[in-house]
Amino acid sequence: MAAILRFRKLCFLEPVKCSTVSVQSFEKPKNDEKQSFEQPQKPESLVSAIERVLEKPKSKKIKKQPKEWRVPEAPGVRLKRDGLTPLHPVVLVPGIVTGGLELWEGRPCSEGLFRKRLWGGSFTEIFKRPLCWLEHLSLDNETGLDPPGIRVRAVPGLVAADYFAPGYFVWAVLIENLAKIGYEQKNMYMAAYDWRLSFQNTEIRDQSLSRLKSKIELMYVTNGYKKVVVVPHSMGVIYFLHFLKWVEAPPPVGGGGGLGWCAKHIKAIMNIGPAFLGVPKAVANILSAEGRDVAFIRSMAPGLLDSETFGFQTLQHIMRVSRTWDSVISLVPRGGETIWGDLNKSPEVENICYTSKAQYLQSSSKENNGNDTDAKRSFHVKELPRYGRIISFGKEKLELPSSQLSIIDSKELMRGSASRNSNTSCGEVSSEYDEMSRNNIKKVAESDAYTASSLLDLLRFVAPKMMKRAEAHFSHGIAEDLDDPKYTHYKYWSNPLETKLPDAPDMEIFCSYGVGIPTERSYVYKLSSSDRCKSIPLQIDSSAYGSDNGCLKGGVHFVDGDESVPVVSAGFMCAKGWRGKTRFNPSGISTYIREHQHKAPSSLLEGRGTESGAHVDIMGNVAFIEDVLRIAGGATSAELGGDRIYSDIMKMSERINIRL
């Protein structure tokens, strides 16, 4: 019966002559009869032939050949083939941590390390002489400059930040692609500087800003009076923002270039992973020398990072050294509650979190027209995270209405800072916590939550020396009147909310950053159970988790970003603060957002990926590299495609009520 049905189907679908087949054709053939199409006179052989045709052929096992891995063509090679050649000189500005540091003078323990890298490279000295290494990376706690008898300086040249460690690229991929279209050291420059120092101190100690000014002027002249394209990364973005004010300001504080210097010398600024408005993880670094990863290690191996076993005391040493680096304060969130939210709400109020398996589902962006408001994500979360509470003591404090929170007045907190232990029994002080009484430390936790405004008082309380020194160089507010003479002071120059962009209407500014990666936004803290000397009394509560698939994991709240910088910090100035003519951008410099949707590499063969949006890995992103090469080759923003937006940055910006 099955054979009949298959045969009828064949007749229906295929142009086969079926009229010659009789009922007798389906009788069982004799064994001695040959089954062949060459004997049509025998109906038995025809039936057998048809059944044999309809029968599924046995699949042969074909040995799969190993998939050949092909290295994708470099964007520089393709663009060179399309006729792209160097036009504008390019200046690269590294951010915090990624630039190399070398020793020029040191203590006896540093014998044999003259002009050897202490930071960046192989890091072998960490294992050979760790305490000596830490001593030479520290700055003076009073001046923020060199300690007596120690001189550590930035490594010069393109090698300063091409690789952070062997095999781990930072700028190397971009440099190589620029070279493929014809760039070399005569028209490409790495503006290396000592990233530990406050921005003005890089000029006072090393004349880094003066050397950058001279180099740009030289490249401008020697390259046919072509304006420079500047590509700063991370903290280097606000370092260069400081430079824009410094270069036009009169000496001795400024560079004396005059009000038209930027308009004359700079074509475009292509900011990568910009930390314009700071990063919350800088607060966690100051409070407890930890972030998401360190908190996880502490939860998995309690006491490992705190224990004096084997003399580790890792976090204490990290805190002692990093609290001498004034540059860390430049990354503390700026703009207060106006930008980062209050106890009840924040610009990311509609942020949606994802499961570890869920993809960041977004449809393609709307070129030039801003945000893709119809993009849908994987699922909704019942809890409503209050990201404005950047520091909370206890998970339950996150869910309470602000009216039920216990908030200590900042004046009361600062009064407690006056009563500190002058004689500590801990011997050599590991951190400023050792100078605080346990009662004063407990007072910190009596205030249930801290916002971007009140956490500045918290930092002044737990790190008074660092804040006193660094706040002479940095400010974190929003200017009421930018024409007030006080804003001519250099402490305001790196804050985009307290300074004006230069009068350069033909210049273009790009905010290029990754999206689609969970990024630290706020923290749940607890008091440490240890009372011993040299312990850090505050730590992230890694046991704090939100509802299933929520935004709170391991004591850390996450939002959209590039793994280091939240979207609101990276994109707000280009989306709203500087867009069009505003009081922060009086000449109407054009600003554009170029977001890169993160796509993790599909295999180990892809390395760190060519479509990554991660904070450092984006430097190997093919689309980003193409943007830089095209602008350097003379393309305009219109030819680049204008805005490319995947995130909710436009909605977030609308929720920020700021006078423009």
Side-chain angles (χ1 to χ4, degrees):
M1 188 65 184
I4 295 175
L5 293 175
R6 287 199 302 269
F7 182 60
R8 289 180 62 187
K9 182 177 180 182
L10 179 66
C11 294
F12 180 77
L13 295 176
E14 301 292 340
V16 178
K17 294 182 179 180
C18 303
S19 57
T20 58
V21 181
S22 63
V23 176
Q24 296 176 348
S25 301
F26 296 96
E27 294 179 354
K28 186 176 179 180
K30 297 180 181 179
N31 293 333
D32 58 347
E33 290 181 332
K34 293 182 180 180
Q35 313 284 317
S36 173
F37 279 117
E38 295 178 357
Q39 300 176 350
Q41 71 279 7
K42 296 181 180 181
E44 296 86 359
S45 59
L46 178 60
V47 172
S48 300
I50 293 172
E51 289 183 331
R52 191 166 59 250
V53 170
L54 294 173
E55 188 177 1
K56 291 183 179 179
K58 294 182 180 179
S59 59
K60 295 182 179 180
K61 291 185 178 180
I62 302 174
K63 188 176 181 181
K64 291 184 178 180
Q65 297 295 327
K67 189 177 181 180
E68 182 181 356
W69 172 255
R70 294 182 180 180
V71 178
E73 186 178 42
V77 173
R78 177 164 40 80
L79 292 176
K80 181 182 180 180
R81 189 170 59 246
D82 293 342
L84 189 67
T85 57
L87 183 63
H88 297 277
V90 174
V91 173
L92 313 175
V93 186
I96 193 171
V97 173
T98 53
L101 301 174
E102 61 185 20
L103 183 70
W104 280 80
E105 180 185 2
R107 305 280 167 77
C109 67
S110 66
E111 184 67 28
L113 295 180
F114 176 67
R115 292 200 64 202
K116 298 290 180 60
R117 288 200 182 203
L118 294 185
W119 187 268
S122 63
F123 289 94
T124 55
E125 296 309 317
I126 299 178
F127 307 103
K128 291 181 179 179
R129 31 191 153 181
L131 294 181
C132 181
W133 177 76
L134 288 169
E135 181 182 10
H136 285 77
L137 282 178
S138 301
L139 296 171
D140 188 273
N141 235 332
E142 300 297 329
T143 65
L145 297 169
D146 293 324
I150 294 177
R151 281 187 294 151
V152 174
R153 298 293 181 264
V155 174
L158 295 174
V159 297
D162 54 352
Y163 289 91
F164 177 66
Y168 189 89
F169 72 82
V170 182
W171 293 89
V173 178
L174 177 59
I175 291 172
E176 182 179 0
N177 278 276
L178 284 165
K180 289 184 185 301
I181 66 170
Y183 278 90
E184 52 188 287
Q185 295 197 47
K186 68 180 181 182
N187 52 8
M188 180 168 49
Y189 173 67
M190 178 76 73
Y193 61 98
D194 190 337
W195 44 263
R196 302 172 300 161
L197 302 174
S198 70
F199 303 158
Q200 193 67 12
N201 273 345
T202 65
E203 173 64 17
I204 292 172
R205 196 194 71 177
D206 302 334
Q207 289 76 55
S208 295
L209 299 175
S210 291
R211 287 188 283 115
L212 176 55
K213 174 177 180 284
S214 298
K215 190 66 177 180
I216 290 177
E217 292 171 340
L218 177 63
M219 294 171 75
Y220 169 75
V221 173
T222 57
N223 286 276
Y225 298 95
K226 298 298 182 185
K227 295 181 182 181
V228 170
V229 172
V230 184
V231 189
H233 175 242
S234 189
M235 189 188 76
V237 168
I238 53 178
Y239 178 76
F240 192 75
L241 186 62
H242 179 98
F243 172 83
L244 293 179
K245 295 298 292 185
W246 174 88
V247 72
E248 294 188 340
V253 178
L259 296 180
W261 191 94
C262 294
K264 178 180 179 181
H265 294 94
I266 301 176
K267 165 185 165 59
I269 306 173
M270 305 192 72
N271 303 294
I272 319 168
F276 280 124
L277 302 178
V279 290
K281 67 190 324 180
V283 178
N285 177 273
I286 298 170
L287 285 182
S288 57
E290 63 181 339
R292 170 187 56 183
D293 299 329
V294 173
F296 175 76
I297 294 172
R298 292 178 78 166
S299 65
M300 295 299 292
L304 175 62
L305 297 177
D306 308 296
S307 176
E308 296 188 16
T309 307
F310 309 116
F312 283 163
Q313 299 176 336
T314 307
L315 293 181
Q316 290 86 339
H317 286 303
I318 292 173
M319 175 173 287
R320 176 173 60 84
V321 174
S322 63
R323 281 195 177 186
T324 68
W325 300 344
D326 289 349
S327 59
V328 173
I329 301 300
S330 74
L331 295 174
V332 170
R334 291 180 157 113
E337 294 181 2
T338 301
I339 299 295
W340 295 93
D342 55 25
L343 294 172
N344 295 316
K345 61 183 184 302
S346 67
E348 303 98 330
V349 66
E350 293 182 4
N351 180 69
I352 298 175
C353 305
Y354 315 90
T355 63
S356 58
K357 295 182 179 179
Q359 299 293 324
Y360 188 92
L361 300 177
Q362 296 262 17
S363 59
S364 59
S365 64
K366 294 183 177 180
E367 299 283 345
N368 301 317
N369 293 327
N371 187 37
D372 184 358
T373 56
D374 296 328
K376 300 298 181 184
R377 305 183 184 177
S378 55
F379 61 86
H380 293 276
V381 179
K382 293 181 180 179
E383 63 173 306
L384 294 176
R386 295 178 171 88
Y387 298 112
R389 305 175 188 187
I390 294 181
I391 300 294
S392 301
F393 280 90
K395 176 181 178 293
E396 65 278 3
K397 305 302 181 1
L398 294 173
E399 301 165 358
L400 290 176
S402 58
S403 59
Q404 298 180 25
L405 293 176
S406 174
I407 304 297
I408 295 180
D409 183 79
S410 60
K411 293 180 180 179
E412 182 180 347
L413 188 65
M414 294 311 296
R415 275 197 297 269
S417 65
S419 56
R420 307 176 75 88
N421 293 335
S422 57
N423 295 319
T424 177
S425 60
C426 292
E428 182 184 354
V429 175
S430 177
S431 72
E432 294 182 77
Y433 282 122
D434 296 316
E435 302 176 25
M436 299 175 64
S437 68
R438 192 67 185 179
N439 288 334
N440 277 350
I441 292 172
K442 289 180 178 178
K443 185 178 291 186
V444 170
E446 290 177 6
S447 191
D448 293 338
Y450 295 85
T451 66
S453 296
S454 57
L455 68 80
L456 290 173
D457 286 326
L458 171 62
L459 297 180
R460 295 180 187 115
F461 181 70
V462 301
K465 290 181 181 178
M466 180 186 194
M467 293 298 288
K468 181 179 179 181
R469 186 184 66 246
E471 284 192 299
H473 291 266
F474 301 107
S475 179
H476 300 84
I478 301 176
E480 289 295 326
D481 180 9
L482 285 168
D483 294 323
D484 190 322
K486 79 173 186 177
Y487 292 110
T488 59
H489 192 280
Y490 58 76
K491 69 181 288 185
Y492 301 103
W493 291 350
S494 63
N495 183 354
L497 300 175
E498 293 183 301
T499 191
K500 297 178 183 179
L501 288 177
D503 185 6
D506 294 331
M507 191 169 76
E508 295 179 323
I509 295 179
F510 296 86
C511 291
S512 301
Y513 53 90
V515 296
I517 309 178
T519 303
E520 296 175 45
R521 177 58 164 81
S522 60
Y523 304 87
V524 177
Y525 265 82
K526 67 179 181 179
L527 288 174
S528 171
S529 57
S530 175
D531 287 325
R532 69 175 184 268
C533 291
K534 298 185 180 179
S535 67
I536 298 176
L538 305 177
Q539 67 181 75
I540 294 174
D541 184 0
S542 56
S543 67
Y545 278 78
S547 61
D548 292 342
N549 305 321
C551 301
L552 177 64
K553 296 181 182 296
V556 182
H557 259 130
F558 296 95
V559 293
D560 192 9
D562 69 358
E563 199 172 40
S564 290
V565 183
V567 165
V568 68
S569 178
F572 172 76
M573 294 310 298
C574 280
K576 184 174 181 179
W578 288 333
R579 184 141 296 200
K581 285 190 176 183
T582 70
R583 65 192 186 105
F584 306 112
N585 181 17
S587 67
I589 297 172
S590 298
T591 62
Y592 302 94
I593 294 175
R594 301 288 289 176
E595 291 184 344
H596 297 271
Q597 179 66 63
H598 174 69
K599 182 179 179 181
S602 59
S603 70
L604 292 176
L605 294 174
E606 292 186 36
R608 287 151 63 193
T610 58
E611 297 179 76
S612 176
H615 190 61
V616 176
D617 295 357
I618 193 175
M619 308 277 261
N621 185 300
V622 169
F624 163 73
I625 293 172
E626 286 188 10
D627 282 357
V628 174
L629 267 57
R630 290 183 186 280
I631 292 295
T636 64
S637 56
E639 294 171 310
L640 213 61
D643 289 331
R644 181 178 60 218
I645 300 175
Y646 297 97
S647 73
D648 287 336
I649 183 58
M650 290 303 184
K651 281 186 176 181
M652 294 181 200
S653 299
E654 290 173 6
R655 298 187 191 107
I656 296 175
N657 185 17
I658 188 172
R659 183 170 63 86
L660 299 176

PDB file of all heavy atoms in Angstrom, residues 242-257:
ATOM      1  N   HIS A 242      40.911  69.037  29.105  1.00  0.00           N
ATOM      2  CA  HIS A 242      41.720  69.971  29.900  1.00  0.00           C
ATOM      3  C   HIS A 242      42.713  70.699  28.991  1.00  0.00           C
ATOM      4  O   HIS A 242      42.905  71.918  29.115  1.00  0.00           O
ATOM      5  CB  HIS A 242      42.468  69.192  30.989  1.00  0.00           C
ATOM      6  CG  HIS A 242      43.347  70.017  31.861  1.00  0.00           C
ATOM      7  ND1 HIS A 242      42.956  70.473  33.105  1.00  0.00           N
ATOM      8  CD2 HIS A 242      44.611  70.488  31.688  1.00  0.00           C
ATOM      9  CE1 HIS A 242      43.930  71.175  33.648  1.00  0.00           C
ATOM     10  NE2 HIS A 242      44.960  71.194  32.803  1.00  0.00           N
ATOM     11  N   PHE A 243      43.325  69.968  28.067  1.00  0.00           N
ATOM     12  CA  PHE A 243      44.289  70.573  27.142  1.00  0.00           C
ATOM     13  C   PHE A 243      43.645  71.665  26.295  1.00  0.00           C
ATOM     14  O   PHE A 243      44.267  72.709  26.029  1.00  0.00           O
ATOM     15  CB  PHE A 243      44.884  69.494  26.235  1.00  0.00           C
ATOM     16  CG  PHE A 243      45.737  70.033  25.113  1.00  0.00           C
ATOM     17  CD1 PHE A 243      47.066  70.371  25.334  1.00  0.00           C
ATOM     18  CD2 PHE A 243      45.206  70.211  23.834  1.00  0.00           C
ATOM     19  CE1 PHE A 243      47.847  70.878  24.302  1.00  0.00           C
ATOM     20  CE2 PHE A 243      45.980  70.719  22.811  1.00  0.00           C
ATOM     21  CZ  PHE A 243      47.306  71.050  23.044  1.00  0.00           C
ATOM     22  N   LEU A 244      42.400  71.460  25.841  1.00  0.00           N
ATOM     23  CA  LEU A 244      41.725  72.446  24.996  1.00  0.00           C
ATOM     24  C   LEU A 244      41.614  73.806  25.688  1.00  0.00           C
ATOM     25  O   LEU A 244      41.705  74.851  25.028  1.00  0.00           O
ATOM     26  CB  LEU A 244      40.332  71.943  24.610  1.00  0.00           C
ATOM     27  CG  LEU A 244      40.252  70.728  23.686  1.00  0.00           C
ATOM     28  CD1 LEU A 244      38.804  70.349  23.427  1.00  0.00           C
ATOM     29  CD2 LEU A 244      40.992  70.974  22.378  1.00  0.00           C
ATOM     30  N   LYS A 245      41.400  73.788  26.995  1.00  0.00           N
ATOM     31  CA  LYS A 245      41.344  75.050  27.745  1.00  0.00           C
ATOM     32  C   LYS A 245      42.749  75.559  28.044  1.00  0.00           C
ATOM     33  O   LYS A 245      43.009  76.765  27.969  1.00  0.00           O
ATOM     34  CB  LYS A 245      40.568  74.854  29.042  1.00  0.00           C
ATOM     35  CG  LYS A 245      39.108  74.516  28.850  1.00  0.00           C
ATOM     36  CD  LYS A 245      38.334  75.615  28.148  1.00  0.00           C
ATOM     37  CE  LYS A 245      38.198  76.862  28.991  1.00  0.00           C
ATOM     38  NZ  LYS A 245      37.331  77.885  28.341  1.00  0.00           N
ATOM     39  N   TRP A 246      43.638  74.630  28.407  1.00  0.00           N
ATOM     40  CA  TRP A 246      45.005  75.030  28.754  1.00  0.00           C
ATOM     41  C   TRP A 246      45.695  75.700  27.574  1.00  0.00           C
ATOM     42  O   TRP A 246      46.379  76.716  27.732  1.00  0.00           O
ATOM     43  CB  TRP A 246      45.810  73.797  29.191  1.00  0.00           C
ATOM     44  CG  TRP A 246      47.260  74.093  29.428  1.00  0.00           C
ATOM     45  CD1 TRP A 246      47.840  74.514  30.580  1.00  0.00           C
ATOM     46  CD2 TRP A 246      48.315  74.007  28.447  1.00  0.00           C
ATOM     47  NE1 TRP A 246      49.187  74.702  30.391  1.00  0.00           N
ATOM     48  CE2 TRP A 246      49.500  74.398  29.093  1.00  0.00           C
ATOM     49  CE3 TRP A 246      48.369  73.646  27.100  1.00  0.00           C
ATOM     50  CZ2 TRP A 246      50.730  74.435  28.428  1.00  0.00           C
ATOM     51  CZ3 TRP A 246      49.587  73.689  26.441  1.00  0.00           C
ATOM     52  CH2 TRP A 246      50.749  74.071  27.098  1.00  0.00           C
ATOM     53  N   VAL A 247      45.549  75.140  26.368  1.00  0.00           N
ATOM     54  CA  VAL A 247      46.315  75.615  25.227  1.00  0.00           C
ATOM     55  C   VAL A 247      45.930  77.043  24.846  1.00  0.00           C
ATOM     56  O   VAL A 247      46.770  77.805  24.327  1.00  0.00           O
ATOM     57  CB  VAL A 247      46.139  74.664  24.022  1.00  0.00           C
ATOM     58  CG1 VAL A 247      44.743  74.788  23.400  1.00  0.00           C
ATOM     59  CG2 VAL A 247      47.222  74.889  22.978  1.00  0.00           C
ATOM     60  N   GLU A 248      44.716  77.456  25.112  1.00  0.00           N
ATOM     61  CA  GLU A 248      44.280  78.811  24.758  1.00  0.00           C
ATOM     62  C   GLU A 248      44.446  79.797  25.902  1.00  0.00           C
ATOM     63  O   GLU A 248      44.433  81.012  25.684  1.00  0.00           O
ATOM     64  CB  GLU A 248      42.823  78.787  24.302  1.00  0.00           C
ATOM     65  CG  GLU A 248      42.614  78.013  22.997  1.00  0.00           C
ATOM     66  CD  GLU A 248      41.210  78.160  22.436  1.00  0.00           C
ATOM     67  OE1 GLU A 248      40.290  78.530  23.190  1.00  0.00           O
ATOM     68  OE2 GLU A 248      41.040  77.920  21.232  1.00  0.00           O
ATOM     69  N   ALA A 249      44.603  79.295  27.135  1.00  0.00           N
ATOM     70  CA  ALA A 249      44.727  80.171  28.301  1.00  0.00           C
ATOM     71  C   ALA A 249      46.089  80.868  28.313  1.00  0.00           C
ATOM     72  O   ALA A 249      47.087  80.319  27.832  1.00  0.00           O
ATOM     73  CB  ALA A 249      44.534  79.368  29.583  1.00  0.00           C
ATOM     74  N   PRO A 250      46.146  82.077  28.863  1.00  0.00           N
ATOM     75  CA  PRO A 250      47.431  82.808  28.905  1.00  0.00           C
ATOM     76  C   PRO A 250      48.405  82.165  29.887  1.00  0.00           C
ATOM     77  O   PRO A 250      47.994  81.527  30.860  1.00  0.00           O
ATOM     78  CB  PRO A 250      47.012  84.205  29.369  1.00  0.00           C
ATOM     79  CG  PRO A 250      45.725  84.006  30.100  1.00  0.00           C
ATOM     80  CD  PRO A 250      45.036  82.867  29.437  1.00  0.00           C
ATOM     81  N   PRO A 251      49.723  82.315  29.646  1.00  0.00           N
ATOM     82  CA  PRO A 251      50.705  81.812  30.594  1.00  0.00           C
ATOM     83  C   PRO A 251      50.675  82.666  31.875  1.00  0.00           C
ATOM     84  O   PRO A 251      50.108  83.761  31.861  1.00  0.00           O
ATOM     85  CB  PRO A 251      52.028  81.977  29.830  1.00  0.00           C
ATOM     86  CG  PRO A 251      51.755  83.014  28.787  1.00  0.00           C
ATOM     87  CD  PRO A 251      50.297  82.929  28.465  1.00  0.00           C
ATOM     88  N   PRO A 252      51.214  82.207  32.993  1.00  0.00           N
ATOM     89  CA  PRO A 252      52.007  80.982  33.130  1.00  0.00           C
ATOM     90  C   PRO A 252      51.165  79.720  33.339  1.00  0.00           C
ATOM     91  O   PRO A 252      51.692  78.623  33.254  1.00  0.00           O
ATOM     92  CB  PRO A 252      52.849  81.271  34.367  1.00  0.00           C
ATOM     93  CG  PRO A 252      51.969  82.150  35.199  1.00  0.00           C
ATOM     94  CD  PRO A 252      51.220  83.005  34.238  1.00  0.00           C
ATOM     95  N   VAL A 253      49.851  79.871  33.608  1.00  0.00           N
ATOM     96  CA  VAL A 253      49.025  78.696  33.866  1.00  0.00           C
ATOM     97  C   VAL A 253      48.692  77.969  32.577  1.00  0.00           C
ATOM     98  O   VAL A 253      48.653  76.735  32.535  1.00  0.00           O
ATOM     99  CB  VAL A 253      47.727  79.096  34.612  1.00  0.00           C
ATOM    100  CG1 VAL A 253      46.839  77.883  34.827  1.00  0.00           C
ATOM    101  CG2 VAL A 253      48.067  79.736  35.951  1.00  0.00           C
ATOM    102  N   GLY A 254      48.452  78.705  31.495  1.00  0.00           N
ATOM    103  CA  GLY A 254      48.068  78.109  30.227  1.00  0.00           C
ATOM    104  C   GLY A 254      49.180  78.110  29.208  1.00  0.00           C
ATOM    105  O   GLY A 254      50.309  78.532  29.470  1.00  0.00           O
ATOM    106  N   GLY A 255      48.846  77.634  28.006  1.00  0.00           N
ATOM    107  CA  GLY A 255      49.841  77.492  26.952  1.00  0.00           C
ATOM    108  C   GLY A 255      50.004  78.705  26.073  1.00  0.00           C
ATOM    109  O   GLY A 255      50.909  78.741  25.230  1.00  0.00           O
ATOM    110  N   GLY A 256      49.119  79.711  26.215  1.00  0.00           N
ATOM    111  CA  GLY A 256      49.272  80.958  25.480  1.00  0.00           C
ATOM    112  C   GLY A 256      48.977  80.863  23.999  1.00  0.00           C
ATOM    113  O   GLY A 256      49.425  81.707  23.212  1.00  0.00           O
ATOM    114  N   GLY A 257      48.204  79.877  23.567  1.00  0.00           N
ATOM    115  CA  GLY A 257      47.914  79.739  22.146  1.00  0.00           C
ATOM    116  C   GLY A 257      46.882  80.722  21.623  1.00  0.00           C
ATOM    117  O   GLY A 257      46.780  80.927  20.413  1.00  0.00           O
TER     118      GLY A 257
END
